[in-house]
Amino acid sequence: MSWLADIFFPKRAITLFMTLVVKNEEDIIEQHIRFHCAMGVDGFIVSSHNCTDGTNSILQKLKNEGLVREILYRTTPEHQHRVWVNEMMQIAKKKYKADWIINSDADEFYYSTKLNLKESIAECHGANLLEVDSIFLFPSTNKDFLKNSYFVTRPFQAFEAKMLGINNDSRYEDFIGPQGCTKVILKMKDVLKLVDGNHDAKMRRPVRAHTAGIRLYHYHIRSYKGWEEKVARWQEAVFKMPGSMGEHMKKMVLLYQKGELPKEFEAKFGDSMKEFLLQQGVVSYDPSVCNFLLYKNIIN
């Protein structure tokens, strides 16, 4: 009699935490945290790496409100992402008794079709690693990027690109191949080792499930200005990468150094490209995140 078990041994609601490593994210960090709080995340642990904009003030405000539980200020020159995420996960597990963890970036919005991430997680009975599909924003010149709801939802298959004669054209390289990338949501007690980028993890007795009830909207390029700042930051380390690693990043840095990055942005993300990709069904309109932010009065 399962109903008797539910009465005498009621199931405890899961505790869901999120970790973040941030650097100069003042344009998105508050909306990101308030969005996920409204989606059911119980608390946030944030590593702030040498921020020089208003990010730290925003984080402190959110900590005063009780949304952010811990802010860890990282001052080393090098970016020690995996080390920091592991430390934050242990804090979430030991101090806050987190059952599940999402290791996110500030530009990643996890949207639950139930409007509650914990409910979507609970549907995946028995699993301890949930795989989440992602889609990427198609950027625009509009400064209010969270209201720009055009995403790359159906990249070209290789045969389509070949048929259209765009398979060797670098302008289209971001729109050919697998859709987005897979990220994972993890059951804390079974995590043994992380993979950089939150694409996978080594688990104790792994039980994987693909959750169609959660989709990741990735605002990786929000505007030209943000893209230029990102490419400028790559200069510090990109040419130290061995062999063919980071070829795309190296190319963008060289264009930046030559002053040719605006031209590259227009070629990849300008109006003519957008119109073509809309016609081909590669880019489409999806206001899910924007509508939820408006509904919760996070943006107006």
Side-chain angles (χ1 to χ4, degrees):
M1 292 194 178
S2 60
W3 61 273
L4 281 175
D6 291 339
I7 292 173
F8 291 105
F9 304 101
K11 293 180 180 178
R12 180 177 67 84
I14 67 172
T15 300
L16 173 63
F17 262 63
M18 179 173 278
T19 71
L20 289 160
V21 178
V22 301
K23 179 162 184 165
N24 294 347
E25 304 283 4
E26 66 179 0
D27 64 330
I28 199 170
I29 189 62
E30 182 168 359
Q31 298 93 325
H32 177 280
I33 289 174
R34 293 194 187 280
F35 172 89
H36 289 101
C37 179
M39 276 280 170
V41 174
D42 295 298
F44 303 80
I45 300 174
V46 185
S47 286
S48 174
H49 184 211
N50 292 332
C51 290
T52 57
D53 63 357
T55 298
N56 288 339
S57 297
I58 295 169
L59 290 174
Q60 187 58 53
K61 178 181 74 171
L62 297 174
K63 187 172 188 292
N64 293 342
E65 292 181 28
L67 304 184
V68 173
R69 304 296 184 88
E70 308 271 350
I71 306 171
L72 306 174
Y73 295 100
R74 311 295 189 172
T75 58
T76 58
E78 63 277 8
H79 187 88
Q80 301 176 1
H81 194 273
R82 188 189 301 184
V83 174
W84 297 339
V85 172
N86 271 305
E87 183 180 341
M88 291 189 290
M89 287 178 63
Q90 290 306 309
I91 294 171
K93 179 181 180 181
K94 294 176 181 178
K95 186 173 181 178
Y96 297 101
K97 312 303 179 187
D99 301 301
W100 287 82
I101 197 84
I102 301 174
N103 299 310
S104 182
D105 293 329
D107 58 7
E108 297 176 343
F109 284 64
Y110 287 78
Y111 181 92
S112 162
T113 56
K114 291 182 170 295
L115 306 185
N116 188 297
L117 288 162
K118 291 192 286 189
E119 289 185 18
S120 292
I121 290 170
E123 283 191 332
C124 300
H125 305 290
N128 58 11
L129 184 151
L130 306 184
E131 297 175 338
V132 179
D133 290 332
S134 68
I135 56 175
F136 291 96
L137 181 73
F138 186 88
S140 76
T141 55
N142 185 353
K143 293 181 180 179
D144 199 353
F145 60 87
L146 287 170
K147 290 184 178 178
N148 170 27
S149 297
Y150 289 93
F151 293 86
V152 181
T153 49
R154 194 202 69 85
F156 290 111
Q157 295 281 355
F159 81 88
E160 293 176 301
K162 187 174 182 180
M163 184 175 65
L164 290 165
I166 61 174
N167 51 312
N168 294 318
D169 190 330
S170 63
R171 292 176 300 167
Y172 297 92
E173 61 189 355
D174 296 334
F175 312 118
I176 302 171
Q179 180 169 312
C181 59
T182 301
K183 295 294 181 98
V184 292
I185 300 174
L186 305 171
K187 194 168 188 176
M188 278 296 311
K189 70 180 183 69
D190 293 331
V191 179
L192 295 175
K193 186 179 180 181
L194 292 177
V195 171
D196 277 338
N198 194 37
H199 301 296
D200 204 349
K202 185 177 181 181
M203 306 292 288
R204 181 182 297 106
R205 296 181 298 277
V207 181
R208 294 173 177 267
H210 179 272
T211 172
I214 301 174
R215 194 179 205 183
L216 172 56
Y217 292 77
H218 199 163
Y219 294 77
H220 67 311
I221 300 174
R222 305 188 287 269
S223 65
Y224 173 74
K225 181 176 180 292
W227 193 44
E228 182 183 79
E229 291 172 352
K230 180 180 288 189
V231 172
R233 290 198 298 269
W234 288 345
Q235 292 183 100
E236 301 173 11
V238 70
F239 292 108
K240 297 178 183 177
M241 293 181 177
S244 61
M245 285 183 63
E247 284 299 320
H248 173 72
M249 296 167 69
K250 292 172 184 175
K251 177 185 173 183
M252 293 303 109
V253 168
L254 289 173
L255 289 171
Y256 169 73
Q257 292 172 344
K258 294 176 183 177
E260 297 177 2
L261 205 58
K263 183 179 177 181
E264 180 74 7
F265 188 86
E266 177 62 26
K268 282 180 173 289
F269 306 115
D271 290 340
S272 59
M273 176 67 84
K274 180 179 179 180
E275 183 179 349
F276 173 69
L277 295 176
L278 282 167
Q279 290 173 351
Q280 295 294 323
V282 172
V283 167
S284 60
Y285 183 71
D286 183 345
S288 300
V289 171
C290 177
N291 285 345
F292 188 73
L293 289 166
L294 289 167
Y295 173 66
K296 291 294 183 178
N297 296 314
I298 297 169
I299 62 173
N300 51 45

